[in-house]
Amino acid sequence: MTKLRVAHSIKDEESISQKHASKRITVGTLRLSALSVATAVSALGVSQVACAELTWGDEESYQQESNYQQDYQQDSSIDSFMAAAIAADRGDVSALYNYEQVMSGGLFAMYPTYWRMNLDLNSQSSAAVSQFVRQYPDTVMAEKLVADFAETKAGSNDYASVRQVANLITNADASERCAVALGFNNGGDTMRAMAAKSDVWLTTKKQPALCDQLAMEMNNNALISNQDRAARLKRMLRKGKTGDIMALSSRLGTPIAYSALSEIQLNPSSFFSRFGREPASQTNQYLYMYAIGRMADKSYREAALQLDFDIKQDNQRAVRLLNDETRRYAYRTLGVQRMNHNTDDGFNAEAVDWFRNSLDNDFNFEEAEDYAMAAIRFGRWDDVVEAISKMDGETQKEAQWQYWLARAYEQSSDSSKRNTSKKMYQNLAKSNDYYGLMAKDKIGQRFDASSLGGSNLPNVSTADRARVMQDANFARAFALYNSEASRAYANREWNWAVKQARDNRDDNLIIAAARQAYDMGWLDRAIYAVDNTDRVDSLALSHPMPHQSAVVRYSESAGIDPAWAYGIMRQESRFVSSARSNVGASGLMQVMPDTAKYIARNLGETYSASRANSGDTNIRYGTWYMGDILGKLNYQPVLATAGYNAGPNNAKRWQPVYGSLAADQYVESIAFPETRNYVKHVMENATIYSSLLGRGQPISQRMGTVPAGF
């Protein structure tokens, strides 16, 4: 058995919030009456409920022992939690001290202490935070407090405090890793700080503020070589990051004055007009890269003309003013800028040419990725191989790049490369994610839902069911789910419980908890549990089909495939009917208010926000809109899926101008990363759902070919 998709982090990658997803997940509240044992504990306020009979989906009754451990007191009731949360919201430290006493030893004992300390985290000592972690070991709130403390202290340059708690952080996200690295970078353990180098040193995309700070301060790390500094300086010259440019150039012995950068920033053309009269110095090489970057910010076309002119002029000089490295990186700058304008200006193979002109052994991941995507778009298969070779070894092993390397080798006239391609597809086909399903089609395999249990729910032993509520983390998650507390608390506890069980390789506990969540309608966490395990496969849990009659009926009425509707719904809301995005999309199908008004008008109905967000109407509106977009976009499901996420106009802009394009090439070159990943997941979902619905369709057949836009 192979995983459909494995996420090796507590962070829920499908949640609306991307920042600290496992700790601050923002999902709408979903109130369902279930889990009588948790409700009983919170209502009765007792430390142990001897027996509570639950009925599972297979109608088997059993005696559920629900002791939240012998030492949990009646003060662990959810009512105390809710009251303490209110006190925390109003910043009532005195009340929180009282709740610490009242709730001591209970299931939620750590919360009032966490809230009190978090009210003024910067004033807390590392000793107090360490004591909290020792008192509440292996809990998500201990992890959250110590990680937040490290970030806060790193932000205020109190690196000693960061170092004192660093070893207590076990599940760090990017910002937290940078906080820890900052602590060691400024505390003598330069080797430990260097663990974060690959993540931050050459990165040019937006990253957490502490990671920017780390990269800046790492300039003075004794293990950073001048070669490292020169590599980063080129990227900072392209990005125009003045502070980094000045610091790096100074350490390299070629200081660049702020006045020189400022002058070029105001008028790069003036710099180019006098460049031919300047000496052939290293400083002028750097200033030329900076000037090309500033001109490319304004117009990559103008910058390309300038570069071509300067190179022609330079080739006629007895002593060249532009060395090979400067020329290459100037072309790299053009390639990156061109890829940033694909939505507005359309795709163009000149990006591939510019990247090829920039070939050397110094690509960062963003540059190599841009090069690969440009080459994929235009079927420049030799360039695809080149681009992937510029990525680090671990990245090259990822399914995405293994698939495209196999696609490139498949086109080769070399029979050994074609044979290698087949072997690569066979290896990828062991998985059932997007690339695994695509690889299956390449070697003639078919995805079979029945091999992963089909729609049959997994059998769970009575003992494993009992263990779910004996696990404090899962017990807290279920109790919070049944309360009026923000769903973020329940999700956070659930994600942590799954992580702990996964780390302990306790698959049976995960399956039992996921089954219990499924039975009570908490589908998004059941999905999360299965998706975040390495060895658990259950399509019934990972790809549930709620509202099946409505989905099938409305899909058929709209002229669309119900499997596609389920693929969209799973990706949009994880079947949380009250889900609401930060831009206002809501419901199972995440319909925007203006879109809902458009749909209602076309259906001859009066728009009502409450009705549009309700389950049945939201499904009807969403499927109608899917059919509407499908009709407007050549009845091409990949285009329509991209249009559902990014708008039909963007989906059209990404179509080829002439001829047709293989759908996988279209998808991989979608200019918006969010939409690119969204389309992959929806196509994967739809393929799996088609098999579950008895209408199996291979993913390549489903995706088809993307026609020209004009």
Side-chain angles (χ1 to χ4, degrees), residues 150-461:
E151 285 185 294
T152 299
K153 291 298 185 181
S156 60
N157 301 326
D158 182 357
Y159 298 126
S161 292
V162 174
R163 292 192 297 275
Q164 288 163 6
V165 301
N167 291 337
L168 301 175
I169 300 173
T170 63
N171 190 52
D173 65 12
S175 180
E176 294 155 4
R177 285 195 298 273
C178 289
V180 171
L182 276 165
F184 289 111
N185 192 61
N186 290 274
D189 195 342
T190 53
M191 180 66 75
R192 192 160 177 181
M194 289 291 283
K197 178 191 172 189
S198 62
D199 295 329
V200 305
W201 185 249
L202 296 183
T203 296
T204 49
K205 291 186 177 179
K206 184 176 177 60
Q207 60 179 342
L210 288 178
C211 295
D212 283 331
Q213 183 178 337
L214 172 64
M216 171 73 85
E217 295 189 16
M218 198 174 272
N219 182 35
N220 296 317
N221 188 305
L223 297 177
I224 291 291
S225 68
N226 278 346
Q227 184 178 356
D228 290 329
R229 293 185 179 95
R232 178 168 168 80
L233 177 57
K234 287 191 294 186
R235 276 77 192 182
M236 298 302 100
L237 289 164
R238 168 161 66 80
K239 294 295 288 184
K241 300 191 74 170
T242 305
D244 289 273
I245 292 169
M246 294 172 64
L248 289 160
S249 63
S250 293
R251 285 299 302 260
L252 285 167
T254 53
I256 298 174
Y258 175 79
S259 58
L261 297 173
S262 179
E263 183 180 353
I264 293 173
Q265 173 71 40
L266 291 171
N267 190 354
S269 296
S270 177
F271 170 83
F272 290 120
S273 67
R274 67 174 185 272
F275 179 74
R277 301 188 298 273
E278 297 291 325
S281 67
Q282 182 59 62
T283 299
N284 281 336
Q285 303 297 313
Y286 292 149
L287 290 176
Y288 188 90
M289 292 184 206
Y290 181 77
I292 280 290
R294 306 295 64 74
M295 182 171 280
D297 284 344
K298 176 184 175 184
S299 168
Y300 63 82
R301 183 70 59 216
E302 186 178 344
L305 292 172
Q306 182 70 55
L307 178 59
D308 286 342
F309 174 81
D310 289 339
I311 288 177
K312 287 176 183 177
Q313 292 290 107
D314 203 40
N315 287 342
Q316 297 173 15
R317 295 188 177 102
V319 178
R320 295 195 315 178
L321 298 181
L322 292 172
N323 63 32
D324 289 341
E325 182 181 37
T326 300
R327 294 177 183 215
R328 286 195 299 267
Y329 204 73
Y331 278 117
R332 185 92 49 84
T333 297
L334 296 180
V336 171
Q337 277 289 0
R338 185 63 184 83
M339 291 298 288
N340 288 339
H341 287 81
N342 285 337
T343 294
D344 294 333
D345 296 356
F347 295 83
N348 195 301
E350 64 192 355
V352 189
D353 296 332
W354 287 335
F355 278 117
R356 176 160 280 278
N357 287 341
S358 81
L359 284 176
D360 60 16
N361 294 319
D362 182 23
F363 274 70
N364 71 8
F365 174 69
E366 289 86 8
E367 294 160 356
E369 182 183 46
D370 279 346
Y371 181 19
M373 289 181 176
I376 288 166
R377 174 76 182 199
F378 292 99
R380 297 268 292 266
W381 302 111
D382 289 343
D383 284 285
V384 171
V385 175
E386 265 307 346
I388 295 173
S389 75
K390 301 306 178 186
M391 300 173 186
D392 67 72
E394 287 304 308
T395 301
Q396 291 182 38
K397 294 176 186 177
E398 293 174 2
Q400 176 182 8
W401 304 115
Q402 285 290 293
Y403 174 80
W404 285 110
L405 195 56
R407 282 276 273 127
Y409 285 163
E410 185 182 12
Q411 317 302 318
S412 176
S413 58
D414 185 335
S415 60
S416 65
K417 287 186 177 179
R418 293 198 302 273
N419 288 333
T420 299
S421 174
K422 291 179 182 178
K423 292 177 182 177
M424 294 172 75
Y425 284 140
Q426 288 169 349
N427 187 55
L428 287 166
K430 296 174 184 177
S431 174
N432 294 305
D433 61 6
Y434 171 79
Y435 293 106
L437 293 171
M438 295 291 290
K440 277 181 169 62
D441 289 358
K442 290 287 187 180
I443 59 175
Q445 291 185 12
R446 292 291 296 270
F447 173 76
D448 181 12
S450 64
S451 67
L452 298 176
S455 297
N456 298 315
L457 288 164
N459 293 320
V460 178
S461 71

Side-chain angles (χ1 to χ4, degrees), residues 63 122 142 192 261 293 305 471 515 522 541 572 581:
Q63 298 298 309
N122 206 33
R192 192 160 177 181
L261 297 173
L305 292 172
D471 181 279
R515 174 66 192 271
W522 200 8
L541 295 177
E572 288 286 351
S581 78

Side-chain angles (χ1 to χ4, degrees), residues 38-247:
T39 306
V41 168
S42 64
L44 297 174
V46 296
S47 61
Q48 182 176 354
V49 176
C51 295
E53 186 173 288
L54 296 181
T55 301
W56 289 70
D58 57 5
E59 300 302 321
E60 176 188 349
S61 296
Y62 68 97
Q63 298 298 309
Q64 165 79 58
E65 272 192 41
S66 182
N67 77 359
Y68 293 128
Q69 297 185 1
Q70 295 291 336
D71 60 345
Y72 289 154
Q73 305 300 314
Q74 66 180 22
D75 311 311
S76 66
S77 87
I78 199 68
D79 295 332
S80 295
F81 172 92
M82 296 298 294
I86 293 171
D89 285 342
R90 63 173 186 261
D92 191 338
V93 174
S94 178
L96 288 172
Y97 269 118
N98 290 334
Y99 281 113
E100 288 180 55
Q101 303 305 312
V102 170
M103 298 169 66
S104 177
L107 188 62
F108 298 99
M110 68 289 297
Y111 276 90
T113 308
Y114 166 80
W115 285 323
R116 174 180 58 77
M117 295 178 72
N118 197 54
L119 286 173
D120 188 7
L121 200 54
N122 206 33
S123 70
Q124 301 299 326
S125 68
S126 56
V129 171
S130 299
Q131 172 58 32
F132 183 89
V133 175
R134 287 193 296 271
Q135 187 173 357
Y136 303 109
D138 302 322
T139 65
V140 70
M141 299 314 293
E143 172 71 15
K144 186 176 188 305
L145 182 69
V146 69
D148 288 352
F149 176 79
E151 285 185 294
T152 299
K153 291 298 185 181
S156 60
N157 301 326
D158 182 357
Y159 298 126
S161 292
V162 174
R163 292 192 297 275
Q164 288 163 6
V165 301
N167 291 337
L168 301 175
I169 300 173
T170 63
N171 190 52
D173 65 12
S175 180
E176 294 155 4
R177 285 195 298 273
C178 289
V180 171
L182 276 165
F184 289 111
N185 192 61
N186 290 274
D189 195 342
T190 53
M191 180 66 75
R192 192 160 177 181
M194 289 291 283
K197 178 191 172 189
S198 62
D199 295 329
V200 305
W201 185 249
L202 296 183
T203 296
T204 49
K205 291 186 177 179
K206 184 176 177 60
Q207 60 179 342
L210 288 178
C211 295
D212 283 331
Q213 183 178 337
L214 172 64
M216 171 73 85
E217 295 189 16
M218 198 174 272
N219 182 35
N220 296 317
N221 188 305
L223 297 177
I224 291 291
S225 68
N226 278 346
Q227 184 178 356
D228 290 329
R229 293 185 179 95
R232 178 168 168 80
L233 177 57
K234 287 191 294 186
R235 276 77 192 182
M236 298 302 100
L237 289 164
R238 168 161 66 80
K239 294 295 288 184
K241 300 191 74 170
T242 305
D244 289 273
I245 292 169
M246 294 172 64

Side-chain angles (χ1 to χ4, degrees), residues 143 502 603 616 657:
E143 172 71 15
R502 186 187 69 218
L603 292 175
D616 189 80
V657 177

